[in-house]
């Protein structure tokens, strides 16, 4: 069976790895330059990745210690995040096949402006736009957008559901044949094929239509990563790609089956959603060389940087808890799906808060897969065959060259085994995902 591959990026100094910017192979400072991103995109397109996407957040970490000072001083995951959409516009110009995804928040955006952004990207990229839908969880973001506190968990998803209804109506507001461009008669477009949406709901009032003709994919491919029950229902209703972090096969299978079993409730089929599980690969000519690469990366980890990022993700100030004690059954208002995983792993492995910080800074619980290209291809094939995922989100240990080993060594191995495409087939990102 063919698998799907996405690349995880942040437009800043980190990825899941929060030591990425300190890695000797990274170009320190490069992440503020366009070349850095064009190099990455070209490498990934050479590897025939389905898509690359940028995670995002709308605030510097302010939760840990109640201030921005720690995260900024040590470069945690939120210390720098440029806006992904202008970068994707530039990447559309230097690539011609790879899907281009950006995260945007349903809590801090308006459907009309967001529909325009992604419709524009979809036109300029000839049908490669993708939107990672997030509901935003942290107080720092609320503080930047005039909310006294973040919306409650279910309230975030209520707003998100209506947001998606509105954007889909807007993307459908121009019929495919509406644009006429009849130069001689002076008919620009057929107004009978362009409709107001007249949406009036609990959160939004939008007349429409969109002021952009129908784009190649109509709307972007929808990515989603919520893992709570409500988050999974939201994904089952709207998502085409679901991105998840699961540490082992049993948990991957549980998540995969749970998510796919929810699709009929929303009139969809299980195969309408591709579940991609995150991995951080370390590839070597020998297992020893691969282990050495992992050790070099992990030796840089500072557990307190991990706790700063964790504080931001979970909306809890972990500086107030003892480092050498377990977290017990602490409840959080932030990313609940991810935090219940942390609680489970901590209980199983008897971890202290410092251990959790170390794990988090290493890669936000993303499993590290270490070996030769053949070992890694074996492992990936096994996960797919056992129903753990439809593909993988590959997250780098350093950049901009962090994907090269994977593209030059693991991809050819997967292709030789018939498990990954040799060429892009189809004209749009959505069509690659169907194959
Ligand atoms: C693997 C994963 C990746 C996520 N990436 C982002 C992100 O880039 N930006 C963001 O604001 N939220 C991100 N989130 C948060 C989710 O989109 C969601 O808002 C959050 O997890 C709360 O929903 P939940 O309780 O259903 O998990 C991510 C969550 C997970 C599990």
């Amino acid at each position: 069976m063919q698998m799907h591959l996405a690349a995880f990026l942040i437009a800043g100094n980190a990825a899941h790895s929060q030591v990425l910017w300190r890695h000797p192979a990274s170009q320190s400072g490069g992440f503020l330059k366009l070349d850095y991103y064009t190099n990455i995109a070209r490498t990934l397109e050479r590897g025939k990745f389905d898509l690359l996407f940028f995670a995002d957040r709308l605030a510097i970490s302010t939760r840990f210690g109640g201030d921005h000072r720690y995260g900024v001083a040590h470069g945690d995951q939120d210390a720098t995040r440029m806006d992904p959409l202008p970068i994707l516009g530039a990447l559309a110009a230097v690539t011609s096949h790879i899907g281009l995804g950006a995260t945007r928040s349903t809590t801090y955006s308006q459907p009309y402006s967001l529909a325009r952004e992604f419709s524009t990207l979809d036109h300029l990229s000839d049908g490669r736009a993708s939107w990672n839908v997030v509901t935003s969880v942290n107080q720092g973001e609320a503080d930047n957008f005039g909310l006294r506190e973040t919306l409650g968990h279910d309230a975030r998803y209520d707003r998100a559901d209506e947001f998606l209804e509105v954007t889909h109506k807007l993307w459908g507001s121009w019929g495919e044949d509406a644009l006429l461009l009849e130069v001689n008669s002076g008919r620009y477009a057929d107004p009978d094929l362009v409709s107001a949406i007249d949406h009036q709901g609990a959160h939004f009032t939008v007349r429409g239509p969109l002021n952009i003709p129908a784009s190649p994919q109509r709307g972007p491919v929808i990515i989603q990563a919520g893992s709570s029950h409500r988050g999974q229902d939201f994904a089952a209703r709207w998502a085409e790609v679901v991105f998840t972090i699961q540490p082992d096969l049993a948990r991957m299978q549980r998540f995969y089956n749970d998510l796919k079993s929810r699709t009929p409730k929303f009139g969809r089929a299980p195969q309408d959603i591709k579940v991609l599980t995150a991995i951080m690969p370390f590839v070597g000519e020998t297992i020893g060389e691969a282990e050495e690469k992992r050790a070099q990366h992990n030796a840089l980890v500072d557990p307190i940087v991990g706790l700063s990022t964790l504080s931001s993700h979970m909306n809890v100030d972990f500086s107030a808890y003892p480092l050498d004690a377990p977290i017990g059954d602490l409840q959080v208002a932030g990313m609940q799906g991810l935090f219940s995983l942390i609680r489970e792993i901590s209980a199983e492995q008897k971890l202290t808060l410092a251990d959790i910080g170390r794990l988090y800074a290493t890669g936000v619980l993303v499993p590290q897969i270490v070996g030769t290209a053949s070992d890694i291809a074996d492992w990936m094939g096994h996960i797919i065959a056992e129903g753990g995922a439809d593909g993988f989100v590959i997250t780098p240990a350093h950049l901009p060259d962090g994907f090269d080993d994977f593209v030059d060594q693991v991809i050819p191995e997967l292709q030789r085994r018939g498990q990954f495409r040799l060429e892009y087939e189809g004209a749009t990102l959505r069509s690659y995902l169907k194959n």
Side-chain angles (χ1 to χ4, degrees):
M1 201 200 302
Q2 294 260 322
M3 61 180 74
H4 295 277
L5 294 177
F8 179 92
L9 293 165
I10 285 174
N13 58 313
H16 290 107
S17 163
Q18 289 140 63
V19 298
L20 184 145
W21 66 274
R22 295 176 59 202
H23 195 288
S26 284
Q27 270 177 22
S28 223
F31 58 81
L32 297 170
K33 303 281 183 209
L34 184 55
D35 270 9
Y36 182 86
Y37 299 100
T38 54
N39 282 340
I40 294 168
R42 286 191 172 115
T43 301
L44 294 168
E45 187 161 85
R46 178 159 56 81
K48 311 284 186 287
F49 269 61
D50 294 67
L51 77 154
L52 61 83
F53 76 94
F54 287 94
D56 200 18
R57 200 163 338 272
L58 298 165
I60 268 179
S61 307
T62 50
R63 214 66 182 92
F64 190 77
D67 193 5
H68 66 268
R69 295 185 61 85
Y70 191 88
V72 170
H74 298 276
D76 77 357
Q77 202 192 38
D78 291 341
T80 296
R81 295 206 184 225
M82 294 198 292
D83 189 322
L85 267 164
I87 300 175
L88 293 184
L91 297 187
V94 298
T95 56
S96 45
H97 298 286
I98 191 165
L100 303 170
T103 299
R104 279 282 191 261
S105 165
T106 51
T107 300
Y108 301 119
S109 311
Q110 281 291 321
Y112 197 86
S113 50
L114 184 138
R116 295 182 73 223
E117 288 172 328
F118 283 95
S119 179
T120 302
L121 179 65
D122 203 43
H123 276 293
L124 299 187
S125 65
D126 283 326
R128 296 186 281 141
S130 180
W131 171 27
N132 178 34
V133 182
V134 299
T135 56
S136 299
V137 288
N138 84 7
Q139 184 60 39
E141 295 175 301
D143 292 342
N144 287 340
F145 288 83
L147 283 191
R148 196 162 300 156
E149 53 188 39
T150 57
L151 300 180
H153 188 256
D154 286 1
R156 284 201 303 267
Y157 280 112
D158 290 343
R159 181 181 161 104
D161 271 324
E162 190 182 335
F163 199 114
L164 272 280
E165 281 168 31
V166 178
T167 50
H168 279 86
K169 285 181 195 170
L170 288 168
W171 289 317
S173 64
W174 280 67
E176 266 171 44
D177 301 324
L179 189 64
L180 300 174
L181 293 177
E182 287 172 7
V183 178
N184 291 338
S185 69
R187 278 184 27 109
Y188 175 71
D190 181 346
D192 293 336
L193 298 179
V194 181
S195 316
I197 67 166
D198 288 324
H199 177 91
Q200 290 197 343
H203 303 88
F204 306 108
T205 300
V206 181
R207 182 194 185 276
L210 199 64
N211 51 2
I212 304 175
S215 70
Q217 296 188 112
R218 303 308 295 268
V221 166
I222 302 293
I223 311 177
Q224 213 272 336
S227 49
S228 64
H229 291 300
R230 184 68 202 270
Q232 286 191 52
D233 268 355
F234 181 81
R237 179 169 178 198
W238 299 107
E240 296 162 270
V241 173
V242 165
F243 157 42
T244 185
I245 296 177
Q246 304 292 340
D248 51 55
L249 175 60
R251 286 188 173 88
M252 290 174 197
Q253 287 167 326
R254 193 170 70 197
F255 178 83
Y256 187 92
N257 293 331
D258 187 357
L259 180 72
K260 298 229 172 183
S261 71
R262 292 169 192 257
T263 51
K265 197 160 72 179
F266 300 100
R268 302 181 73 206
Q271 62 272 21
D272 291 345
I273 304 180
K274 302 298 178 207
V275 175
L276 309 186
T277 197
I279 58 169
M280 188 189 292
F282 291 89
V283 194
E285 293 288 332
T286 62
I287 179 84
E289 188 190 318
E291 285 290 4
E292 216 169 281
K293 286 183 180 172
R294 167 160 68 173
Q296 182 187 30
H297 172 269
N298 292 1
L300 296 167
V301 166
D302 173 353
I304 310 296
V305 170
L307 292 181
S308 176
T309 300
L310 186 68
S311 295
S312 160
H313 285 184
M314 303 306 161
N315 216 9
V316 169
D317 179 4
F318 284 101
S319 74
Y321 292 80
L323 281 175
D324 54 359
I327 53 163
D329 68 349
L330 181 69
Q331 303 293 317
V332 303
M335 297 191 198
Q336 296 181 12
L338 205 51
F339 200 71
S340 54
L341 181 58
I342 292 176
R343 271 196 306 267
E344 274 176 42
I345 294 177
S346 302
E348 278 167 24
Q349 301 178 17
K350 303 204 180 345
L351 302 182
T352 63
L353 185 61
D355 296 330
I356 294 168
R358 175 168 293 282
L359 256 183
Y360 222 70
T362 305
V364 189
L365 309 187
V366 172
Q368 295 186 326
I369 311 301
V370 185
T372 62
S374 162
D375 297 333
I376 293 178
D378 284 348
W379 186 91
M380 294 170 77
H382 178 65
I383 298 293
I384 303 287
E386 293 296 318
D390 299 307
F392 299 89
V393 171
I394 308 298
T395 188
H398 56 86
L399 284 174
D401 300 336
F403 291 109
D404 284 55
D405 287 349
F406 189 85
V407 165
D408 294 334
Q409 297 176 52
V410 183
I411 296 275
E413 186 63 36
L414 293 170
Q415 288 171 326
R416 243 192 313 278
R417 298 170 183 212
Q419 290 177 328
F420 193 59
R421 68 173 66 83
L422 294 168
E423 293 301 333
Y424 287 101
E425 284 169 25
T428 62
L429 170 58
R430 189 165 282 120
S431 65
Y432 314 153
L433 292 167
K434 292 241 156 62
N435 292 329

